Amino acid sequence: MELTHIEHLGIAVKSIEAQLPYYENVLGLKCYSIEEVADQKVKTAFFKIGQTKIELLEPTSEDSAVAKFIEKKGEGIHHIAFATASVADALTEVESKGVQLIDKAPRKGAEGLNIAFLHPKTTGSVLTELCEDPNK
Amino acid sequence: MELTHIEHLGIAVKSIEAQLPYYENVLGLKCYSIEEVADQKVKTAFFKIGQTKIELLEPTSEDSAVAKFIEKKGEGIHHIAFATASVADALTEVESKGVQLIDKAPRKGAEGLNIAFLHPKTTGSVLTELCEDPNK
């Protein structure tokens, strides 16, 4: 498995609207997309910096995993997502090495990527996502 | 202020030794440096992935900020560090926009970079570092 770069960082926020001025006016990044991901019960806002995107995650429901994260740990960095050529191959490899999979097979995530999450119990407490761009 | 890329991500761990097998054998990254940063009371281990480094932070003292972070929130992503051409200029700019500075002026961090931290109270709860490579 080769991880080429950090595809994005997910940051849990209570309100995208409240955080936009910091990311845009202070950090000077430009929000190029706001998208709702219904099955994850979040609204997302994307910024690009170098090879990496920053993805703000605002829960749209109290029972969303992001709402529970904020309740437990507060707002902050929620997950790290690595880019790789094949998420399916990567899942097979990391599972064989003892990593617990949240997603047994790739599924569609924001921006049309094929994604899968690994369980933080087996990734040094860092919620970890693997991403593959099907158009590359 | 232009942020060019994510210079590194700091990840708080109880033990670098315990985490190395995950980063090296599962993720396939190579630890190229282990360094103690005495004034931050941490031992650091560095990996490179694309433009970004991953910096594992192991506290070397119970009163290190990283030890307190782990006690409060558990192991996990501790801070995000952005690369910029001049940390001094960036500090002036972000302070004028209402960001609270932890470091009023750049200081030396790991790997000889000039660095400064911004207070998470004013950065959407994300502990944020600015980095400048003096050799660039």
Short mmCIF file of all heavy atoms in Angstrom, two decimals, chain A residues 1 3-6 9 11 19 22-23 25-27 49-52 54 73 75-77 79-80 82 93-94 97 99 118 122-126 128, chain B residues 1 3-6 9 11 19 22-23 25-27 49-52 54 73 75-77 79-80 82 94 97 99 118 122-126 128:
data_model
loop_
_atom_site.label_atom_id
_atom_site.label_comp_id
_atom_site.label_asym_id
_atom_site.label_seq_id
_atom_site.Cartn_x
_atom_site.Cartn_y
_atom_site.Cartn_z
N MET A 1 0.85 -1.20 0.00
CA MET A 1 0.00 0.00 0.00
C MET A 1 0.88 1.24 0.00
O MET A 1 1.75 1.38 0.84
CB MET A 1 -0.86 0.00 1.27
CG MET A 1 -1.67 1.26 1.44
SD MET A 1 -2.78 1.18 2.89
CE MET A 1 -1.63 1.38 4.25
N LEU A 3 0.67 5.28 0.37
CA LEU A 3 -0.12 6.48 0.64
C LEU A 3 0.64 7.64 0.00
O LEU A 3 1.81 7.87 0.31
CB LEU A 3 -0.25 6.69 2.15
CG LEU A 3 -0.85 5.52 2.93
CD1 LEU A 3 -0.87 5.83 4.42
CD2 LEU A 3 -2.24 5.18 2.44
N THR A 4 -0.02 8.36 -0.90
CA THR A 4 0.71 9.38 -1.66
C THR A 4 0.74 10.73 -0.95
O THR A 4 1.72 11.46 -1.06
CB THR A 4 0.07 9.57 -3.05
OG1 THR A 4 -1.32 9.86 -2.88
CG2 THR A 4 0.23 8.29 -3.88
N HIS A 5 -0.34 11.08 -0.27
CA HIS A 5 -0.39 12.37 0.42
C HIS A 5 -1.59 12.38 1.37
O HIS A 5 -2.40 11.45 1.37
CB HIS A 5 -0.47 13.53 -0.58
CG HIS A 5 -1.67 13.49 -1.48
ND1 HIS A 5 -1.77 12.68 -2.59
CD2 HIS A 5 -2.84 14.18 -1.43
CE1 HIS A 5 -2.93 12.87 -3.18
NE2 HIS A 5 -3.61 13.76 -2.51
N ILE A 6 -1.68 13.45 2.14
CA ILE A 6 -2.86 13.62 3.00
C ILE A 6 -3.94 14.26 2.13
O ILE A 6 -3.79 15.40 1.68
CB ILE A 6 -2.53 14.45 4.24
CG1 ILE A 6 -1.48 13.70 5.08
CG2 ILE A 6 -3.80 14.69 5.08
CD1 ILE A 6 -1.01 14.45 6.31
N LEU A 9 -8.08 16.77 5.85
CA LEU A 9 -8.23 16.70 7.30
C LEU A 9 -9.65 17.09 7.61
O LEU A 9 -10.14 18.13 7.15
CB LEU A 9 -7.33 17.74 7.97
CG LEU A 9 -5.87 17.42 8.06
CD1 LEU A 9 -5.17 18.60 8.72
CD2 LEU A 9 -5.64 16.15 8.85
N ILE A 11 -12.33 18.44 10.24
CA ILE A 11 -12.37 19.22 11.48
C ILE A 11 -13.83 19.37 11.91
O ILE A 11 -14.65 19.88 11.15
CB ILE A 11 -11.70 20.60 11.28
CG1 ILE A 11 -10.24 20.41 10.89
CG2 ILE A 11 -11.84 21.46 12.54
CD1 ILE A 11 -9.47 21.71 10.64
N GLN A 19 -17.44 29.47 11.60
CA GLN A 19 -16.00 29.26 11.40
C GLN A 19 -15.49 29.84 10.09
O GLN A 19 -14.27 30.06 9.93
CB GLN A 19 -15.66 27.76 11.43
CG GLN A 19 -15.88 27.13 12.80
CD GLN A 19 -15.00 27.75 13.88
OE1 GLN A 19 -13.94 28.28 13.59
NE2 GLN A 19 -15.45 27.70 15.11
N TYR A 22 -12.88 32.76 10.04
CA TYR A 22 -11.50 32.41 10.43
C TYR A 22 -10.75 31.78 9.25
O TYR A 22 -9.64 32.20 8.91
CB TYR A 22 -11.51 31.46 11.64
CG TYR A 22 -10.14 30.89 11.93
CD1 TYR A 22 -9.11 31.71 12.38
CD2 TYR A 22 -9.84 29.54 11.69
CE1 TYR A 22 -7.83 31.21 12.60
CE2 TYR A 22 -8.57 29.04 11.93
CZ TYR A 22 -7.57 29.87 12.37
OH TYR A 22 -6.31 29.37 12.58
N TYR A 23 -11.35 30.80 8.61
CA TYR A 23 -10.64 30.10 7.53
C TYR A 23 -10.42 31.00 6.32
O TYR A 23 -9.37 30.96 5.69
CB TYR A 23 -11.38 28.80 7.15
CG TYR A 23 -11.15 27.74 8.20
CD1 TYR A 23 -12.02 27.60 9.28
CD2 TYR A 23 -10.02 26.94 8.17
CE1 TYR A 23 -11.78 26.67 10.29
CE2 TYR A 23 -9.77 26.01 9.17
CZ TYR A 23 -10.65 25.89 10.22
OH TYR A 23 -10.39 24.98 11.21
N ASN A 25 -10.89 34.69 6.15
CA ASN A 25 -10.31 36.03 6.34
C ASN A 25 -9.00 36.00 7.11
O ASN A 25 -8.14 36.85 6.89
CB ASN A 25 -11.31 36.94 7.05
CG ASN A 25 -12.63 37.02 6.31
OD1 ASN A 25 -12.68 36.76 5.10
ND2 ASN A 25 -13.69 37.35 7.01
N VAL A 26 -8.86 35.06 8.01
CA VAL A 26 -7.60 34.99 8.78
C VAL A 26 -6.59 34.11 8.06
O VAL A 26 -5.48 34.54 7.74
CB VAL A 26 -7.85 34.51 10.22
CG1 VAL A 26 -6.53 34.43 10.99
CG2 VAL A 26 -8.83 35.43 10.94
N LEU A 27 -6.96 32.86 7.79
CA LEU A 27 -6.01 31.96 7.13
C LEU A 27 -5.88 32.23 5.63
O LEU A 27 -4.90 31.81 5.00
CB LEU A 27 -6.40 30.49 7.36
CG LEU A 27 -6.35 29.99 8.81
CD1 LEU A 27 -6.66 28.50 8.86
CD2 LEU A 27 -5.00 30.28 9.46
N ILE A 49 -5.39 23.57 0.53
CA ILE A 49 -4.10 24.17 0.85
C ILE A 49 -3.01 23.18 0.44
O ILE A 49 -2.91 22.09 0.99
CB ILE A 49 -4.01 24.56 2.35
CG1 ILE A 49 -2.59 25.00 2.66
CG2 ILE A 49 -4.51 23.51 3.30
CD1 ILE A 49 -2.46 25.73 3.96
N GLY A 50 -2.24 23.54 -0.59
CA GLY A 50 -1.27 22.60 -1.14
C GLY A 50 -1.98 21.36 -1.64
O GLY A 50 -3.02 21.46 -2.31
N GLN A 51 -1.45 20.19 -1.29
CA GLN A 51 -2.04 18.92 -1.75
C GLN A 51 -3.28 18.53 -0.96
O GLN A 51 -3.94 17.54 -1.31
CB GLN A 51 -1.03 17.78 -1.54
CG GLN A 51 0.20 17.82 -2.43
CD GLN A 51 1.16 16.71 -2.03
OE1 GLN A 51 1.32 16.40 -0.85
NE2 GLN A 51 1.82 16.12 -3.01
N THR A 52 -3.55 19.27 0.10
CA THR A 52 -4.50 18.78 1.11
C THR A 52 -5.74 19.66 1.17
O THR A 52 -5.66 20.87 1.00
CB THR A 52 -3.80 18.74 2.48
OG1 THR A 52 -2.69 17.85 2.38
CG2 THR A 52 -4.72 18.25 3.58
N ILE A 54 -8.97 20.91 3.58
CA ILE A 54 -9.53 20.97 4.93
C ILE A 54 -11.04 20.86 4.77
O ILE A 54 -11.64 21.56 3.95
CB ILE A 54 -9.13 22.28 5.63
CG1 ILE A 54 -7.64 22.21 5.98
CG2 ILE A 54 -9.97 22.50 6.89
CD1 ILE A 54 -7.09 23.45 6.63
N LYS A 73 -15.35 15.38 23.02
CA LYS A 73 -13.99 15.95 22.97
C LYS A 73 -13.96 17.45 22.67
O LYS A 73 -12.91 18.07 22.71
CB LYS A 73 -13.15 15.23 21.90
CG LYS A 73 -13.01 13.73 22.15
CD LYS A 73 -11.81 13.17 21.41
CE LYS A 73 -11.56 11.72 21.76
NZ LYS A 73 -10.25 11.23 21.33
N GLU A 75 -14.96 20.71 19.85
CA GLU A 75 -14.62 20.94 18.45
C GLU A 75 -13.13 20.68 18.25
O GLU A 75 -12.34 20.84 19.17
CB GLU A 75 -14.94 22.39 18.07
CG GLU A 75 -16.43 22.71 18.07
CD GLU A 75 -16.67 24.17 17.72
OE1 GLU A 75 -16.25 25.04 18.51
OE2 GLU A 75 -17.28 24.44 16.68
N GLY A 76 -12.74 20.33 17.03
CA GLY A 76 -11.32 20.14 16.75
C GLY A 76 -11.12 19.13 15.64
O GLY A 76 -12.08 18.70 14.97
N ILE A 77 -9.85 18.75 15.45
CA ILE A 77 -9.52 17.84 14.34
C ILE A 77 -10.14 16.48 14.60
O ILE A 77 -9.95 15.88 15.65
CB ILE A 77 -8.00 17.74 14.14
CG1 ILE A 77 -7.40 19.14 13.90
CG2 ILE A 77 -7.69 16.84 12.94
CD1 ILE A 77 -5.88 19.17 13.82
N HIS A 79 -10.56 13.75 11.94
CA HIS A 79 -9.93 12.60 11.28
C HIS A 79 -8.92 13.05 10.25
O HIS A 79 -8.88 14.21 9.84
CB HIS A 79 -10.99 11.69 10.64
CG HIS A 79 -11.71 12.27 9.45
ND1 HIS A 79 -12.88 12.98 9.56
CD2 HIS A 79 -11.42 12.25 8.12
CE1 HIS A 79 -13.28 13.35 8.35
NE2 HIS A 79 -12.41 12.93 7.46
N ILE A 80 -8.08 12.09 9.87
CA ILE A 80 -7.08 12.31 8.83
C ILE A 80 -7.38 11.34 7.70
O ILE A 80 -7.73 10.18 7.95
CB ILE A 80 -5.65 12.10 9.40
CG1 ILE A 80 -4.58 12.38 8.37
CG2 ILE A 80 -5.47 10.73 10.01
CD1 ILE A 80 -3.17 12.40 8.96
N PHE A 82 -5.96 9.71 4.11
CA PHE A 82 -4.82 9.50 3.23
C PHE A 82 -5.30 9.11 1.83
O PHE A 82 -6.27 8.36 1.69
CB PHE A 82 -3.94 8.36 3.76
CG PHE A 82 -3.32 8.63 5.09
CD1 PHE A 82 -3.72 7.94 6.23
CD2 PHE A 82 -2.31 9.58 5.22
CE1 PHE A 82 -3.13 8.18 7.46
CE2 PHE A 82 -1.71 9.83 6.46
CZ PHE A 82 -2.13 9.12 7.57
N GLU A 93 -5.01 -5.13 2.78
CA GLU A 93 -3.66 -5.15 3.37
C GLU A 93 -3.69 -4.76 4.86
O GLU A 93 -3.10 -5.46 5.69
CB GLU A 93 -2.74 -4.21 2.59
CG GLU A 93 -1.33 -4.23 3.15
CD GLU A 93 -0.36 -3.35 2.38
OE1 GLU A 93 -0.60 -3.07 1.19
OE2 GLU A 93 0.64 -2.93 2.99
N VAL A 94 -4.37 -3.66 5.19
CA VAL A 94 -4.31 -3.23 6.60
C VAL A 94 -5.06 -4.19 7.50
O VAL A 94 -4.67 -4.42 8.64
CB VAL A 94 -4.79 -1.76 6.80
CG1 VAL A 94 -3.95 -0.79 5.98
CG2 VAL A 94 -6.27 -1.58 6.54
N LYS A 97 -3.01 -6.91 8.59
CA LYS A 97 -2.00 -6.49 9.57
C LYS A 97 -2.63 -6.10 10.91
O LYS A 97 -1.99 -5.47 11.74
CB LYS A 97 -1.19 -5.32 9.01
CG LYS A 97 -0.30 -5.75 7.85
CD LYS A 97 0.46 -4.60 7.22
CE LYS A 97 1.45 -5.12 6.19
NZ LYS A 97 2.08 -4.03 5.42
N VAL A 99 -5.53 -4.25 11.55
CA VAL A 99 -6.35 -3.05 11.70
C VAL A 99 -7.82 -3.43 11.61
O VAL A 99 -8.23 -4.23 10.76
CB VAL A 99 -6.00 -2.00 10.61
CG1 VAL A 99 -7.00 -0.86 10.60
CG2 VAL A 99 -4.58 -1.47 10.84
N LEU A 118 -10.97 3.51 9.04
CA LEU A 118 -10.33 2.50 9.89
C LEU A 118 -10.63 2.86 11.35
O LEU A 118 -10.73 4.04 11.69
CB LEU A 118 -8.81 2.52 9.66
CG LEU A 118 -8.35 2.51 8.20
CD1 LEU A 118 -6.82 2.50 8.15
CD2 LEU A 118 -8.93 1.31 7.45
N THR A 122 -7.33 0.81 16.53
CA THR A 122 -6.17 0.11 15.95
C THR A 122 -5.29 1.03 15.10
O THR A 122 -4.43 0.55 14.35
CB THR A 122 -6.66 -1.08 15.09
OG1 THR A 122 -7.68 -0.61 14.19
CG2 THR A 122 -7.23 -2.17 15.96
N THR A 123 -5.53 2.34 15.21
CA THR A 123 -4.71 3.29 14.43
C THR A 123 -4.17 4.38 15.36
O THR A 123 -4.14 5.56 15.00
CB THR A 123 -5.55 3.95 13.30
OG1 THR A 123 -6.66 4.62 13.90
CG2 THR A 123 -6.05 2.93 12.30
N GLY A 124 -3.75 3.97 16.53
CA GLY A 124 -3.15 4.93 17.46
C GLY A 124 -4.11 6.04 17.88
O GLY A 124 -3.70 7.18 18.10
N SER A 125 -5.39 5.70 18.00
CA SER A 125 -6.42 6.64 18.45
C SER A 125 -6.72 7.77 17.46
O SER A 125 -7.34 8.76 17.82
CB SER A 125 -6.07 7.26 19.81
OG SER A 125 -5.86 6.26 20.76
N VAL A 126 -6.26 7.62 16.23
CA VAL A 126 -6.53 8.64 15.21
C VAL A 126 -7.54 8.05 14.23
O VAL A 126 -7.24 7.08 13.51
CB VAL A 126 -5.24 9.02 14.46
CG1 VAL A 126 -5.54 10.00 13.33
CG2 VAL A 126 -4.22 9.63 15.43
N THR A 128 -9.04 7.32 11.04
CA THR A 128 -8.27 7.37 9.79
C THR A 128 -9.14 6.94 8.62
O THR A 128 -9.85 5.94 8.70
CB THR A 128 -7.03 6.46 9.91
OG1 THR A 128 -6.22 6.96 10.98
CG2 THR A 128 -6.22 6.44 8.63
N MET B 1 -0.96 37.22 4.07
CA MET B 1 -0.35 35.94 4.51
C MET B 1 -0.75 34.83 3.54
O MET B 1 -1.92 34.62 3.30
CB MET B 1 -0.86 35.60 5.91
CG MET B 1 -0.37 34.26 6.41
SD MET B 1 -0.88 33.93 8.11
CE MET B 1 -2.64 33.59 7.93
N LEU B 3 -0.50 30.81 3.08
CA LEU B 3 -0.13 29.50 3.62
C LEU B 3 0.05 28.58 2.42
O LEU B 3 -0.86 28.42 1.62
CB LEU B 3 -1.23 28.98 4.54
CG LEU B 3 -1.61 29.91 5.71
CD1 LEU B 3 -2.77 29.31 6.50
CD2 LEU B 3 -0.42 30.17 6.61
N THR B 4 1.24 28.00 2.28
CA THR B 4 1.51 27.23 1.06
C THR B 4 1.07 25.78 1.16
O THR B 4 0.64 25.20 0.17
CB THR B 4 3.02 27.28 0.73
OG1 THR B 4 3.75 26.81 1.87
CG2 THR B 4 3.45 28.70 0.40
N HIS B 5 1.21 25.19 2.34
CA HIS B 5 0.83 23.79 2.51
C HIS B 5 0.79 23.46 4.00
O HIS B 5 1.16 24.28 4.83
CB HIS B 5 1.79 22.85 1.77
CG HIS B 5 3.21 22.94 2.22
ND1 HIS B 5 4.05 23.97 1.84
CD2 HIS B 5 3.95 22.16 3.02
CE1 HIS B 5 5.24 23.79 2.39
NE2 HIS B 5 5.21 22.70 3.11
N ILE B 6 0.33 22.25 4.30
CA ILE B 6 0.38 21.79 5.69
C ILE B 6 1.78 21.23 5.92
O ILE B 6 2.16 20.23 5.32
CB ILE B 6 -0.73 20.76 5.98
CG1 ILE B 6 -2.10 21.43 5.76
CG2 ILE B 6 -0.60 20.22 7.40
CD1 ILE B 6 -3.29 20.51 5.96
N LEU B 9 1.54 17.61 10.84
CA LEU B 9 0.48 17.36 11.80
C LEU B 9 1.12 16.78 13.03
O LEU B 9 1.90 15.82 12.93
CB LEU B 9 -0.49 16.31 11.25
CG LEU B 9 -1.46 16.75 10.20
CD1 LEU B 9 -2.29 15.54 9.78
CD2 LEU B 9 -2.36 17.85 10.75
N ILE B 11 0.77 14.65 16.39
CA ILE B 11 -0.10 13.63 16.96
C ILE B 11 0.44 13.25 18.34
O ILE B 11 1.59 12.82 18.46
CB ILE B 11 -0.19 12.39 16.04
CG1 ILE B 11 -0.79 12.81 14.68
CG2 ILE B 11 -1.02 11.29 16.68
CD1 ILE B 11 -0.89 11.68 13.67
N GLN B 19 3.90 3.10 18.97
CA GLN B 19 3.18 3.49 17.75
C GLN B 19 3.97 3.26 16.47
O GLN B 19 3.39 3.20 15.38
CB GLN B 19 2.78 4.98 17.81
CG GLN B 19 1.76 5.30 18.88
CD GLN B 19 0.44 4.57 18.68
OE1 GLN B 19 0.09 4.20 17.58
NE2 GLN B 19 -0.26 4.34 19.78
N TYR B 22 2.75 0.71 13.78
CA TYR B 22 1.58 1.10 12.98
C TYR B 22 1.99 2.03 11.84
O TYR B 22 1.65 1.80 10.68
CB TYR B 22 0.52 1.77 13.87
CG TYR B 22 -0.59 2.41 13.05
CD1 TYR B 22 -1.48 1.63 12.33
CD2 TYR B 22 -0.72 3.80 12.98
CE1 TYR B 22 -2.47 2.20 11.54
CE2 TYR B 22 -1.72 4.38 12.21
CZ TYR B 22 -2.59 3.59 11.49
OH TYR B 22 -3.55 4.16 10.71
N TYR B 23 2.77 3.06 12.16
CA TYR B 23 3.13 4.02 11.11
C TYR B 23 4.05 3.41 10.07
O TYR B 23 3.93 3.69 8.88
CB TYR B 23 3.74 5.28 11.75
CG TYR B 23 2.66 6.13 12.39
CD1 TYR B 23 2.30 5.96 13.72
CD2 TYR B 23 1.93 7.03 11.63
CE1 TYR B 23 1.26 6.68 14.28
CE2 TYR B 23 0.89 7.76 12.18
CZ TYR B 23 0.56 7.59 13.51
OH TYR B 23 -0.48 8.29 14.05
N ASN B 25 4.85 -0.18 9.59
CA ASN B 25 4.49 -1.47 8.96
C ASN B 25 3.09 -1.47 8.37
O ASN B 25 2.84 -2.16 7.39
CB ASN B 25 4.60 -2.60 9.99
CG ASN B 25 5.99 -2.67 10.59
OD1 ASN B 25 6.96 -2.19 10.00
ND2 ASN B 25 6.10 -3.24 11.78
N VAL B 26 2.19 -0.70 8.96
CA VAL B 26 0.82 -0.68 8.41
C VAL B 26 0.69 0.43 7.38
O VAL B 26 0.34 0.19 6.23
CB VAL B 26 -0.24 -0.53 9.53
CG1 VAL B 26 -1.64 -0.48 8.94
CG2 VAL B 26 -0.12 -1.67 10.54
N LEU B 27 1.01 1.66 7.77
CA LEU B 27 0.86 2.77 6.81
C LEU B 27 2.01 2.82 5.80
O LEU B 27 1.88 3.48 4.76
CB LEU B 27 0.77 4.11 7.56
CG LEU B 27 -0.47 4.30 8.45
CD1 LEU B 27 -0.49 5.71 9.02
CD2 LEU B 27 -1.77 4.03 7.68
N ILE B 49 4.89 12.34 4.26
CA ILE B 49 3.92 11.83 3.30
C ILE B 49 3.50 12.99 2.40
O ILE B 49 2.88 13.94 2.86
CB ILE B 49 2.72 11.15 4.00
CG1 ILE B 49 1.65 10.83 2.96
CG2 ILE B 49 2.17 11.94 5.17
CD1 ILE B 49 0.61 9.86 3.46
N GLY B 50 3.89 12.93 1.12
CA GLY B 50 3.66 14.05 0.22
C GLY B 50 4.36 15.29 0.77
O GLY B 50 5.51 15.23 1.21
N GLN B 51 3.65 16.41 0.77
CA GLN B 51 4.21 17.68 1.24
C GLN B 51 4.29 17.77 2.76
O GLN B 51 4.84 18.73 3.29
CB GLN B 51 3.32 18.84 0.79
CG GLN B 51 3.29 19.13 -0.69
CD GLN B 51 2.29 20.23 -1.01
OE1 GLN B 51 1.23 20.32 -0.41
NE2 GLN B 51 2.62 21.07 -1.98
N THR B 52 3.67 16.82 3.44
CA THR B 52 3.39 16.99 4.87
C THR B 52 4.18 15.99 5.71
O THR B 52 4.39 14.86 5.30
CB THR B 52 1.87 16.83 5.10
OG1 THR B 52 1.20 17.82 4.33
CG2 THR B 52 1.50 16.97 6.56
N ILE B 54 4.31 13.95 9.41
CA ILE B 54 3.59 13.56 10.61
C ILE B 54 4.60 13.55 11.74
O ILE B 54 5.69 12.97 11.60
CB ILE B 54 2.92 12.19 10.43
CG1 ILE B 54 1.74 12.34 9.45
CG2 ILE B 54 2.44 11.64 11.76
CD1 ILE B 54 1.03 11.05 9.12
N LYS B 73 -7.89 14.71 26.69
CA LYS B 73 -8.62 14.31 25.47
C LYS B 73 -8.24 12.92 24.98
O LYS B 73 -8.84 12.41 24.04
CB LYS B 73 -8.34 15.31 24.35
CG LYS B 73 -8.79 16.74 24.67
CD LYS B 73 -8.97 17.56 23.42
CE LYS B 73 -9.56 18.91 23.73
NZ LYS B 73 -10.03 19.62 22.52
N GLU B 75 -5.06 10.20 23.48
CA GLU B 75 -4.12 10.31 22.37
C GLU B 75 -4.88 10.75 21.11
O GLU B 75 -6.06 10.48 20.97
CB GLU B 75 -3.46 8.95 22.11
CG GLU B 75 -2.55 8.48 23.22
CD GLU B 75 -1.96 7.11 22.94
OE1 GLU B 75 -2.75 6.15 22.86
OE2 GLU B 75 -0.75 7.00 22.78
N GLY B 76 -4.17 11.38 20.19
CA GLY B 76 -4.82 11.77 18.94
C GLY B 76 -4.17 13.00 18.35
O GLY B 76 -3.11 13.45 18.82
N ILE B 77 -4.81 13.55 17.32
CA ILE B 77 -4.22 14.69 16.60
C ILE B 77 -4.19 15.90 17.53
O ILE B 77 -5.21 16.28 18.10
CB ILE B 77 -4.98 14.99 15.31
CG1 ILE B 77 -5.00 13.74 14.41
CG2 ILE B 77 -4.31 16.15 14.55
CD1 ILE B 77 -5.84 13.88 13.15
N HIS B 79 -2.11 19.05 16.91
CA HIS B 79 -2.08 20.37 16.26
C HIS B 79 -1.83 20.25 14.77
O HIS B 79 -1.41 19.21 14.28
CB HIS B 79 -1.03 21.28 16.91
CG HIS B 79 0.39 20.89 16.68
ND1 HIS B 79 1.08 20.06 17.54
CD2 HIS B 79 1.27 21.21 15.70
CE1 HIS B 79 2.32 19.90 17.09
NE2 HIS B 79 2.47 20.58 15.96
N ILE B 80 -2.12 21.35 14.09
CA ILE B 80 -1.88 21.46 12.65
C ILE B 80 -0.90 22.60 12.44
O ILE B 80 -1.01 23.65 13.09
CB ILE B 80 -3.21 21.69 11.89
CG1 ILE B 80 -3.00 21.75 10.38
CG2 ILE B 80 -3.93 22.93 12.36
CD1 ILE B 80 -4.32 21.73 9.60
N PHE B 82 0.95 25.05 9.59
CA PHE B 82 0.94 25.55 8.23
C PHE B 82 2.30 26.17 7.89
O PHE B 82 2.91 26.83 8.72
CB PHE B 82 -0.12 26.64 8.07
CG PHE B 82 -1.53 26.17 8.28
CD1 PHE B 82 -2.27 26.57 9.38
CD2 PHE B 82 -2.14 25.34 7.35
CE1 PHE B 82 -3.58 26.15 9.57
CE2 PHE B 82 -3.46 24.90 7.53
CZ PHE B 82 -4.17 25.32 8.64
N VAL B 94 -2.25 38.02 11.66
CA VAL B 94 -3.35 37.32 12.33
C VAL B 94 -3.72 38.00 13.65
O VAL B 94 -4.89 38.03 14.03
CB VAL B 94 -3.08 35.80 12.53
CG1 VAL B 94 -2.84 35.11 11.19
CG2 VAL B 94 -1.97 35.51 13.51
N LYS B 97 -6.10 40.63 13.18
CA LYS B 97 -7.44 40.12 12.86
C LYS B 97 -8.09 39.41 14.04
O LYS B 97 -9.07 38.69 13.88
CB LYS B 97 -7.35 39.18 11.65
CG LYS B 97 -7.00 39.93 10.37
CD LYS B 97 -6.83 39.02 9.17
CE LYS B 97 -6.64 39.84 7.89
NZ LYS B 97 -6.32 39.00 6.73
N VAL B 99 -6.67 37.17 16.33
CA VAL B 99 -6.17 35.88 16.83
C VAL B 99 -5.25 36.12 18.03
O VAL B 99 -4.42 37.03 18.03
CB VAL B 99 -5.40 35.13 15.71
CG1 VAL B 99 -4.68 33.91 16.27
CG2 VAL B 99 -6.37 34.71 14.61
N LEU B 118 -0.61 29.58 17.66
CA LEU B 118 -1.78 30.45 17.84
C LEU B 118 -2.72 29.77 18.84
O LEU B 118 -2.82 28.54 18.88
CB LEU B 118 -2.50 30.64 16.50
CG LEU B 118 -1.62 31.01 15.30
CD1 LEU B 118 -2.50 31.19 14.05
CD2 LEU B 118 -0.81 32.26 15.57
N THR B 122 -9.03 31.06 19.58
CA THR B 122 -9.33 31.98 18.47
C THR B 122 -9.08 31.35 17.10
O THR B 122 -9.04 32.04 16.09
CB THR B 122 -8.48 33.26 18.62
OG1 THR B 122 -7.10 32.89 18.82
CG2 THR B 122 -8.93 34.08 19.80
N THR B 123 -8.90 30.02 17.08
CA THR B 123 -8.67 29.32 15.80
C THR B 123 -9.63 28.13 15.68
O THR B 123 -9.22 27.05 15.21
CB THR B 123 -7.20 28.83 15.69
OG1 THR B 123 -6.94 27.94 16.79
CG2 THR B 123 -6.22 29.98 15.73
N GLY B 124 -10.85 28.34 16.11
CA GLY B 124 -11.85 27.28 15.97
C GLY B 124 -11.51 26.03 16.75
O GLY B 124 -11.81 24.91 16.31
N SER B 125 -10.85 26.19 17.89
CA SER B 125 -10.50 25.07 18.79
C SER B 125 -9.42 24.15 18.23
O SER B 125 -9.24 23.04 18.73
CB SER B 125 -11.73 24.22 19.15
OG SER B 125 -12.72 25.04 19.73
N VAL B 126 -8.73 24.58 17.18
CA VAL B 126 -7.65 23.78 16.61
C VAL B 126 -6.33 24.45 16.97
O VAL B 126 -6.05 25.57 16.53
CB VAL B 126 -7.79 23.69 15.07
CG1 VAL B 126 -6.60 22.95 14.48
CG2 VAL B 126 -9.11 23.02 14.69
N THR B 128 -2.97 25.65 16.48
CA THR B 128 -2.43 25.95 15.15
C THR B 128 -1.03 26.52 15.27
O THR B 128 -0.78 27.40 16.08
CB THR B 128 -3.37 26.94 14.43
OG1 THR B 128 -4.65 26.32 14.30
CG2 THR B 128 -2.85 27.30 13.04
#
